[in-house]
Amino acid sequence: MTNEAFVTLVTNDSYAKGALVWGQSLRNCGTTKKLVIMIGYKPEPPLQAVMEKTFDELVYVSLMDSGDTTRLALMARPELGVTFTKLQCWTLTHYTKCVFMDADTLVVENIDDLFEREEFSAAPDVGWPDMFNTGVFVYKPSMETYGKLLELAKSEGSFDGGDQGLLNAYFSDWAFKDITKRLPFIYNMAANLTYSYLPALLRFGTEVKVVHFLGQSKPWNFGYSAESDNVYGGSMADNMFQTTKPFIRTWWKVYNHNVEPLFEKKPEGSVDVPEYPKSSAPVSSETNGSEGGKASGAATPDQWERGDINYTGSDRFHNIQRHLDAMIYKNANDY
Ligand code: UDP
Ligand code: GLC
Ligand code: MN
């Protein structure tokens, strides 16, 4: 008998928000797998109640921290030592196979086919594509593997101070041994780095299955107005923000539509719940887009190279946004 689960991790309220959106996004995409959240702190009772409604299993774990401030400083992410806690996902041996996903990921299309892959499958990291990114990976729970990972952590540490350095050292033949373990980028698309290759975003954006809000700026650090469908605030360079915005918008729509209503009383600082009809996608305030998902009338390669890109006109990400909305709300009727 197989028993398969998607697994995530949270150690504080901010990432918990991310995990709730992640869980709902998987359900909106019609997953048939179990949803598991590993929790490394004590959430307040109202939040815990919402976690119980959202996930099939809550697993309390103790915090593990690499404490490697020197290497973490290289990434300017001192908070990521705690991602060693992620390694405990190997202890969930009541599941035969799992897919771990960071709490800052958003699923926009069904990804249950990932369970056809074997340990250790992951997508390339955008910072160094011969390494994999540990925001999404397929693995097989095993106390033996867990023990070996801890041994390696003790003897060598992690070269980035977080789980990604350690796991890349452990599964070190990933880049060249077995191509089936290299997941396509659409299963772990780094939202904030799409500005670096815009033509690819326009060409493949509608095929994306998982958006990963990698980096310091997370969707929950931005504001969102449902009324104007506008994302604001945060601290992101403008060129990065332009291309990340549609994905942040989609994240907030799932938060407002699927997560916020689960809290009996509105948490402080939350935004208004928009009144979307249950079966239809919210309508964007940008109304002059072409139908059908794929971008049309976009700039020519020449114009792209000159930097002559009309973000608010023909080259806007409206079409990608429409596709994201359509996918995420396809199954919303069931919830
Ligand atoms: N995480 C957490 N608390 C923290 C930092 C990280 O729970 O303080 C978990 C969470 O699941 C998060 C993952 O570890 O998604 C990896 O961290 P993050 O996504 O911030 O790293 P990035 O993808 O930005 O490199
Ligand atoms: C990364 C990954 C994240 C991981 C962190 C620390 O860039 O996206 O999943 O936890 O580095 O290694
Ligand atoms: Mn992440």
Side-chain angles (χ1 to χ4, degrees):
M1 260 266 296
T2 59
N3 192 17
E4 300 174 330
F6 286 104
V7 180
T8 194
L9 162 72
V10 297
T11 67
N12 58 46
D13 284 349
S14 302
Y15 283 96
K17 251 183 169 177
L20 292 174
V21 169
W22 167 78
Q24 293 295 338
S25 72
L26 271 163
R27 296 216 189 273
N28 284 348
C29 292
T31 185
T32 61
K33 309 297 175 185
K34 297 271 169 52
L35 301 192
V36 178
I37 183 168
M38 299 197 297
I39 307 171
Y41 77 115
K42 196 171 179 336
E44 291 297 318
L47 174 59
Q48 191 186 327
V50 172
M51 287 174 166
E52 278 161 5
K53 286 184 208 165
T54 306
F55 302 104
D56 297 295
E57 193 186 1
L58 277 55
V59 179
Y60 286 89
V61 294
S62 42
L63 286 189
M64 286 162 53
D65 198 317
S66 72
D68 193 340
T69 46
T70 315
R71 281 151 162 176
L72 287 165
L74 295 175
M75 296 198 289
R77 300 288 303 276
E79 75 277 18
L80 290 188
V82 80
T83 62
F84 264 29
T85 312
K86 214 190 262 188
L87 303 175
Q88 290 177 65
C89 70
W90 265 274
T91 68
L92 304 175
T93 51
H94 47 302
Y95 296 103
T96 46
K97 195 186 279 182
C98 296
V99 172
F100 180 89
M101 297 181 74
D102 271 6
D104 61 344
T105 56
L106 175 76
V107 180
V108 295
E109 213 167 298
N110 188 291
I111 51 170
D112 286 2
D113 58 313
L114 281 178
F115 289 88
E116 291 159 23
R117 308 260 180 170
E118 297 303 326
E119 177 173 278
F120 182 94
S121 297
D125 186 74
V126 274
W128 198 269
D130 283 346
M131 279 176 58
F132 53 81
N133 180 274
T134 52
V136 178
F137 59 84
V138 185
Y139 74 100
K140 191 171 166 41
S142 146
M143 289 312 285
E144 192 190 336
T145 310
Y146 180 61
K148 287 183 182 164
L149 284 167
L150 291 192
E151 262 170 45
L152 183 63
K154 258 186 240 155
S155 60
E156 311 264 326
S158 159
F159 70 83
D160 73 357
D163 65 293
Q164 182 160 302
L166 184 78
L167 289 172
N168 270 276
Y170 188 82
F171 297 104
S172 60
D173 59 8
W174 170 86
F176 41 84
K177 190 158 179 218
D178 180 354
I179 192 76
T180 65
K181 294 184 176 168
R182 183 192 173 286
L183 297 181
F185 191 58
I186 52 172
Y187 287 88
N188 183 356
M189 199 276 303
N192 59 328
L193 292 165
T194 47
Y195 77 96
S196 64
Y197 195 6
L198 282 172
L201 177 63
L202 287 182
R203 169 66 181 79
F204 298 111
T206 57
E207 291 169 29
V208 166
K209 292 173 191 282
V210 179
V211 179
H212 186 181
F213 296 95
L214 183 151
Q216 217 145 19
S217 293
K218 305 299 188 194
W220 52 87
N221 300 138
F222 292 84
Y224 172 68
S225 155
E227 208 168 65
S228 60
D229 195 22
N230 191 27
V231 174
Y232 56 88
S235 55
M236 199 182 255
D238 199 51
N239 55 350
M240 205 186 265
F241 184 51
Q242 286 308 321
T243 58
T244 314
K245 206 160 43 172
F247 301 112
I248 299 174
R249 244 190 224 135
T250 304
W251 187 96
W252 270 106
K253 285 175 178 171
V254 178
Y255 184 82
N256 284 352
H257 189 68
N258 300 122
V259 175
E260 221 267 353
L262 298 178
F263 287 92
E264 278 160 23
K265 246 177 52 194
K266 271 209 243 170
E268 243 173 33
S270 73
V271 293
D272 288 336
V273 186
E275 288 173 14
Y276 301 137
K278 264 216 146 184
S279 58
S280 64
V283 181
S284 163
S285 60
E286 298 161 297
T287 50
N288 58 344
S290 60
E291 304 290 327
K294 298 270 182 210
S296 67
T300 63
D302 260 15
Q303 284 171 297
W304 280 102
E305 272 165 32
R306 285 200 307 274
D308 182 11
I309 303 161
N310 184 2
Y311 291 116
T312 53
S314 55
D315 299 315
R316 71 197 175 290
F317 295 98
H318 177 77
N319 296 321
I320 291 170
Q321 174 92 52
R322 284 177 68 88
H323 176 78
L324 293 176
D325 285 347
M327 295 315 296
I328 207 97
Y329 288 95
K330 203 168 50 178
N331 300 298
N333 239 354
D334 305 337
Y335 295 92

